[in-house]
């Protein structure tokens, strides 16, 4: 079937390409034309403006946006002007779930259906399929289903519930992801710094654990790959970014008075990775020096 | 090949049975005879005493013990008397890695090879194979390899390094397991207590995430199973035991001055699950009442 | 000097009374008249309506509000209508610092000076004085200073900085308070549950530590008091509320990418104190049962 | 009264000096003679060997050792040979409480009373007095009491309970200290990194909070001092050591299945302060790169 894809970044491009490979007709728009041309060479329909994208799609249209968070609302505003009653607009980026309801309400004024979609799978989605969590009206979900079926691996899409539930589910998914990653990170540091640090072959151990152990997972498969490429991970720096959902998960825990110590600590360890010689640690060193006369390191 | 199995608990029994099913000749000893008979009915060779077990095995013997931690050293002492130079003794239970070296030294006095083995896979190991982490001399590993190959799934066994490295690896494996479990636990509580708690089908979400999402794992497959059987987990109580390795992981982190906040918190949340109306919380309530006149709940 | 006090709850009443005792003329308004009358009997000027309060004060007026967070903005709106250029309005309740700037801007349209005030000291403030953190224009601070001097103990008031800085400082103050309280709570539980739990006299130990030890503090003095009244804290339940600032502190840490694990955990332990048989813990128990066949407690 | 002091490090020297200033007769031994001479110039009795120390003391003798943990048992062994029935030996250093009982048993063979003493107060103890937590037999405590009274501030010594209870109490005291310090450290970092970071005068705020606020404490007085000397703590490095008791507190929490997340995290933040570019963080960065193609920083 036809679909418009707006935003050909890493995720949007691969999603569009996977749909093309499965036989769908993808009309693609992007701010810079290079990516449009690149996709066109692979079978996409180019659209150099949103108006063109709209014209190339037959109603009821399915339009999917995969854009940086900061420009999502601007594009939804523009698309509200262009789209027609019965069209479906999917926001598949990293939106906060609480932004979805106002958007859905605004679009409903013109009879446009808004769906929020959490998308997981990263750069491997092109090959493996993307895991899709959809929120919004049943009607929109049904209209999109032929696309979802091909975008996802078998069993890999779900209508989670009403507007916002897709992004909410994706947010918690990422919160869990932070916690799992931190668990592996701490464990592997303990392997490396422990008494067998020089004996253990960490990539072999990661590989081993993926065969029948309780901690086997896709993340551990990826860690095995990384360790094969660089056994001591010496080529990269332990500076760890985050992308919003982990923070929102913590804020959600606070809002709902739910203890989530592991998900929270996982986020805070990332904050810590970006600091050196912190003020907090200097406070500790200063206090130790004050009450105990303990030696301090000079800066 | 031949192997003696000492201890036919949940793990030992299934390991013995898997080896029998793969064509090995397993001589089995257990404290209570029921399990010996049960295994004999499935093809095992019964041994109602350690002396009989020894007699039924041709040198060089392979003897594997899967016993509760408290009785391991007693059995090793007995086996030291019975076994002969060149025999291999494998300790596959939940031993602390630091106990392995003294045992290896003691057994070496009689020329017996000691191997420590971390075994993961739980009750699913019979069908899927057990993930095996071996520590100890290369010679012992080679002798055992025909057994290991059939006990484990493909690629599921590894000679980690010298004595103790198998149990050390298993200890850290379990520490990671605690962290991962807690990450899922917190995430699913946030799903349930969040604004879409009544809409979300948690078992469907667990199933979905196993298809192409970043958090897919074996633990999540198990969680899907649990949620299918009891969607709100109402039938069980949130009282969570631990079995040693998680504690040792924390102690190892402290010993090596390695921060492991997530693995540690995961353990402490288990401690907390076993408490009610804690003294710590009463201290907090008392203080709030003292300085702020805040209302307290009476006991 | 003259001051209007709006809100005669636990804090507002004691603040008004302390100022009366120091010779100031306090015009007091409260929703329910009982507290107005109670204060009047102690020397306050009653005001049964905001209009009356305004009339009884000579310009430039100083008006201090100590109200529940939910009704603050309503009262500020009303006071904006009543007050006159040059008057000073102080918000001394538990406002979030980010609410202060919009209020200050709105009031500045009529030439009214807005000051935010963090107030610490609890029920002991009447006797000991209240610790005061002021944010807002210098002019407002100077006008209030004769009151601040008597409201606080010696050295106990500070002009922290521009609008919002008073409430920001108070927020962090409370975040620290949560962390300190949790540190004592954990420590005293370890005393009680440790090998000398039956020997140690906890109230004596709290008293001892207040004499020359590194952990001496006012909170520890309060804990000594609590333990004297109820040595095992048996009369109260370990159900611990929080009042907003601790949550905002965590959100601020997340916003500024600052690790604050201890302040965060202290909050989450309070959340946990209000739960029983949590869903997260049931997830853990279910998983242990799935992979290891470990026994679970039935609900 | 008379007392022998063995070990004239920072703590031992000041304790001896305080007792001399209060009129006691202190016979002092130290490995290097400089400190003995220094104390002799201030009124101490020099003892260049343990035998001399013993000779200069009249029975029943009181001997206090303040030595590095590593040499304590050696000295106790030597003193067991020298001392006589009825003499009292006090171990006032950073011993683990579980070491006390074996020592007490060994010394009791010769009728020597062993007392364990937790000492808090740091370099300020000379002037303010030392806070003293004593464990051991009542008879030993009574014999020492004239010394304890002058060593401590008023109310600053306590007979906690049987052998080991003094060091146990001191261990938990230090665990609490770690938690409190970390609470202040995090709070002051949030002050500095928050929206008012350039406005707030941190030393003034520390000073303010010591006047009537809930978080007033001795540690906060020390922080005020540090911030007065170096307002941004620029002269020292955020590298934070620990000295054992914090680790033992965590191990005790694990042993007794008591959640102590804040005390534990406080310790682990110190570990983290000594690391840079950690392996754990590199694992996280590697994983983010693997699944999301996220940019990494090169090393």
């Amino acid at each position: 079937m036809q679909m418009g894809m707006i935003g050909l970044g890493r995720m949007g491009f691969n999603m569009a390409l996977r749909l093309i490979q499965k036989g769908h007709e993808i009309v693609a728009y992007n701010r810079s034309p290079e990516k449009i041309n690149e996709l066109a060479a692979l079978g996409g329909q180019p659209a150099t403006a949103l108006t063109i994208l709209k014209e190339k799609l037959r109603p009821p249209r399915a339009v999917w946006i995969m854009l940086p968070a900061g420009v999502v609302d601007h594009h939804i505003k523009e698309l509200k002007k262009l789209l027609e009653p019965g069209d479906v607009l999917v926001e598949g980026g990293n939106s906060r779930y609480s932004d979805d309801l106002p958007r859905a309400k605004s679009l409903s004024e013109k009879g446009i259906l808004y769906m929020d979609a959490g998308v997981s799978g990263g750069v491997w989605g092109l090959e493996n399929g993307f895991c899709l969590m959809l929120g919004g009206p049943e009607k929109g979900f049904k209209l999109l289903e032929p696309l979802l079926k091909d975008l996802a691996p078998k069993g890999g899409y779900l209508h989670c519930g009403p507007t916002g539930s897709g992004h909410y589910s994706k947010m918690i998914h990422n919160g869990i992801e932070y916690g799992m990653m931190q668990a592996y990170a701490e464990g592997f540091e303990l392997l490396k710094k422990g008494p067998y640090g020089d004996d253990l072959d960490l990539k072999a151990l990661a590989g081993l654990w993926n065969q029948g152990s309780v901690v086997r997972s896709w993340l551990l498969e990826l860690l095995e790959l990384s360790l094969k490429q660089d056994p001591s991970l010496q080529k990269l720096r332990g500076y760890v970014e985050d992308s919003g959902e982990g923070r929102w998960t913590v804020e959600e825990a606070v809002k709902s008075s739910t203890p989530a110590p592991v998900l929270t600590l996982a986020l805070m360890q990332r904050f810590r990775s970006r600091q050196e010689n912190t003020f907090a640690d200097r406070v500790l060193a200063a206090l130790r020096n004050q009450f105990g006369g303990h030696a301090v390191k000079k800066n």
Side-chain angles (χ1 to χ4, degrees), chain A:
Chain A
M1 88 181 240
Q2 275 195 318
M3 191 186 91
M5 175 62 85
I6 296 171
L8 297 175
R10 208 156 34 206
M11 291 294 280
F13 188 93
N14 281 345
M15 290 167 73
L17 183 54
R18 184 171 166 98
L19 286 169
I20 290 167
Q21 290 170 349
K22 296 279 182 175
H24 297 280
E25 186 186 342
I26 303 302
V27 183
Y29 168 81
N30 194 53
R31 196 177 48 161
S32 67
E34 291 81 2
K35 284 288 166 184
I36 302 179
N37 296 336
E38 200 180 319
L39 194 73
L42 294 162
Q45 303 289 325
T48 52
L50 293 181
T51 46
I52 298 172
L53 179 131
K54 182 227 167 174
E55 290 307 320
K56 288 195 174 182
L57 295 169
R58 288 176 300 277
R61 296 169 187 86
V63 177
W64 194 300
I65 56 180
M66 288 302 284
L67 294 164
V71 299
V72 167
D73 276 309
H74 169 74
H75 282 77
I76 289 178
K77 212 170 136 192
E78 292 302 306
L79 288 163
K80 183 180 174 185
K81 293 179 203 158
L82 293 173
L83 294 180
E84 294 171 4
D87 290 350
V88 178
L89 178 57
V90 189
E91 187 340 61
N94 286 336
S95 283
R96 194 159 187 170
Y97 78 91
S98 48
D99 290 334
D100 288 320
L101 204 55
R103 290 170 184 166
K105 278 191 183 158
S106 169
L107 290 167
S108 74
E109 293 164 5
K110 273 199 62 180
I112 304 164
L113 296 170
Y114 176 81
M115 303 295 292
D116 56 286
V119 181
S120 182
V123 293
W124 301 75
L126 174 60
E127 188 181 335
N128 298 345
F130 297 88
C131 181
L132 303 169
M133 300 146 240
L134 275 290
E138 179 74 12
K139 194 179 164 187
F141 177 73
K142 284 295 175 204
L143 194 144
L144 295 170
E145 205 162 6
L147 297 162
L148 303 176
K149 207 168 285 188
D150 285 336
L151 204 46
K154 193 170 149 44
Y157 68 96
L158 182 72
H159 187 203
C160 296
T163 301
S165 63
H167 279 138
Y168 188 89
S169 300
K170 177 56 166 35
M171 175 185 77
I172 301 299
H173 166 280
N174 282 34
I176 293 171
E177 175 192 305
Y178 280 42
M180 291 173 68
M181 288 172 69
Q182 182 67 21
Y184 287 121
E186 293 177 8
F188 275 77
E189 181 164 314
L190 286 168
L191 290 172
K192 199 168 180 59
K193 288 182 65 178
Y196 302 98
D198 295 334
D199 302 301
L200 296 173
D201 178 343
L202 297 189
K203 69 177 180 299
L205 210 46
L208 172 75
W209 285 347
N210 275 317
Q211 307 306 325
S213 99
V214 173
V215 303
R216 64 192 191 257
S217 74
W218 186 57
L219 282 166
L220 190 57
E221 293 173 28
L222 295 182
L223 183 52
E224 185 187 357
L225 279 182
S226 291
L227 290 165
K228 275 183 179 163
Q229 293 160 10
D230 180 6
S232 292
L233 302 177
Q234 288 175 329
K235 289 178 195 155
L236 49 80
R237 191 145 184 91
Y239 184 99
V240 194
E241 303 272 10
D242 71 294
S243 54
E245 286 93 346
R247 297 173 184 237
W248 301 335
T249 300
V250 173
E251 289 172 4
E252 203 61 29
V254 168
K255 193 176 163 191
S256 63
S257 305
T258 307
V262 156
L263 305 192
T264 304
L265 264 290
L267 176 67
M268 289 187 166
Q269 292 302 100
R270 294 192 178 193
F271 295 162
R272 185 62 183 77
S273 80
R274 301 176 214 154
Q275 294 185 304
E276 270 184 41
N277 189 24
T278 72
F279 190 70
D281 289 338
R282 274 139 61 199
V283 166
L284 296 177
L287 284 173
R288 292 188 83 240
N289 179 257
Q290 279 290 351
F291 68 71
H294 298 291
V296 293
K297 296 212 175 191
K298 298 291 175 188
N299 215 2

